[in-house]
Amino acid sequence: MAVAVDGIDNVMSIGCRIIEPPFTLELWYKPDDSEFKEREVLVGGTGLKSADIFPLTLERGVLSNPLTGLSSGEVSTPEWHHAALVCDGRSTMLYHDGNLAARKDTVISILPCDIGYQYNGKKKTLFAGQIDEFRIWSDAIPERVLRKWKGRDITPGHPFFDDLAVYFNFDSALVDHAVNPAGTGHQPYHLRSG
């Protein structure tokens, strides 16, 4: 199961705080088609100047983190892709389908409040497609671990299991909200349909 967003008016909001490094933000996404808007937000936030409000976007179909200028360099196809943004406190890395796509020696904080859009009153940034396995870790997950676990359910056997802060697998089959079984942080069990 996954969550579908139409790119027009259905959105998801999480009760989330600013995430400081080290962190890992990862998810699976599947665009509806190969026709992309200028920007489609996979994970967005509100307009605070102290944190990145566009952690993961598709810029004309290319997986990106606009604040750092990190980009996968390739247009996404209408199939499932894994995306991860990792900041270890020294560098920020963007992974696409389990491979390091770009790295920059810069440090950012993120505000991942919204899935599939960024609240700015403009609907043109809404992502059209499906999202699944949304995870935020309070540590920088190494590439080998990302690659090994990107297609697996999270269990206590994961080497960073205790660092899992937010986890939405969208398997609960609820129409207007989802459960965060990691159960930590601000509003720990809350994701609502906008």
Side-chain angles (χ1 to χ4, degrees):
M1 296 181 70
V3 68
V5 288
D6 61 11
I8 301 169
D9 61 4
N10 62 339
V11 297
M12 294 168 287
S13 298
I14 320 170
C16 200
R17 59 178 171 76
I18 292 174
I19 308 293
E20 303 285 348
F23 68 80
T24 300
L25 167 63
E26 66 173 314
L27 56 80
W28 282 88
Y29 72 96
K30 180 183 180 187
D32 277 351
D33 54 42
S34 297
E35 295 181 25
F36 294 99
K37 302 172 200 164
E38 183 174 332
R39 171 175 286 165
E40 294 186 43
V41 178
L42 296 171
V43 182
T46 57
L48 293 177
K49 295 185 190 283
S50 59
D52 185 359
I53 61 171
F54 295 111
L56 287 175
T57 67
L58 295 177
E59 303 290 320
R60 291 187 173 91
V62 177
L63 180 67
S64 302
N65 175 263
L67 181 66
T68 61
L70 297 174
S71 165
S72 67
E74 58 190 59
V75 176
S76 298
T77 54
E79 56 195 4
W80 283 105
H81 297 280
H82 182 261
L85 184 69
V86 180
C87 184
D88 63 9
R90 296 177 309 278
S91 301
T92 302
M93 288 79 59
L94 181 68
Y95 293 89
H96 195 230
D97 292 331
N99 300 307
L100 179 63
R103 176 189 192 111
K104 190 174 272 188
D105 289 331
T106 189
V107 176
I108 60 171
S109 299
I110 59 172
L111 185 58
C113 293
D114 306 308
I115 300 174
Y117 86 118
Q118 185 267 336
Y119 181 75
N120 62 3
K122 299 176 184 175
K123 304 251 187 244
K124 65 181 181 179
T125 62
L126 272 68
F127 170 68
Q130 297 177 62
I131 295 176
D132 200 10
E133 291 295 320
F134 180 91
R135 306 167 182 173
I136 299 175
W137 306 84
S138 57
D139 206 341
I141 306 298
E143 182 174 356
R144 63 177 169 69
V145 177
L146 276 175
R147 189 177 291 129
K148 180 177 180 179
W149 284 85
K150 68 183 176 70
R152 297 171 60 184
D153 291 335
I154 298 300
T155 68
H158 191 288
F160 290 83
F161 184 77
D162 291 339
D163 297 314
L164 184 61
V166 176
Y167 180 38
F168 292 109
N169 62 13
F170 305 111
D171 290 347
S172 60
L174 301 171
V175 174
D176 60 356
H177 64 281
V179 175
N180 171 17
T184 62
H186 179 64
Q187 296 179 323
Y189 295 99
H190 184 67
L191 182 148
R192 70 184 185 278
S193 170

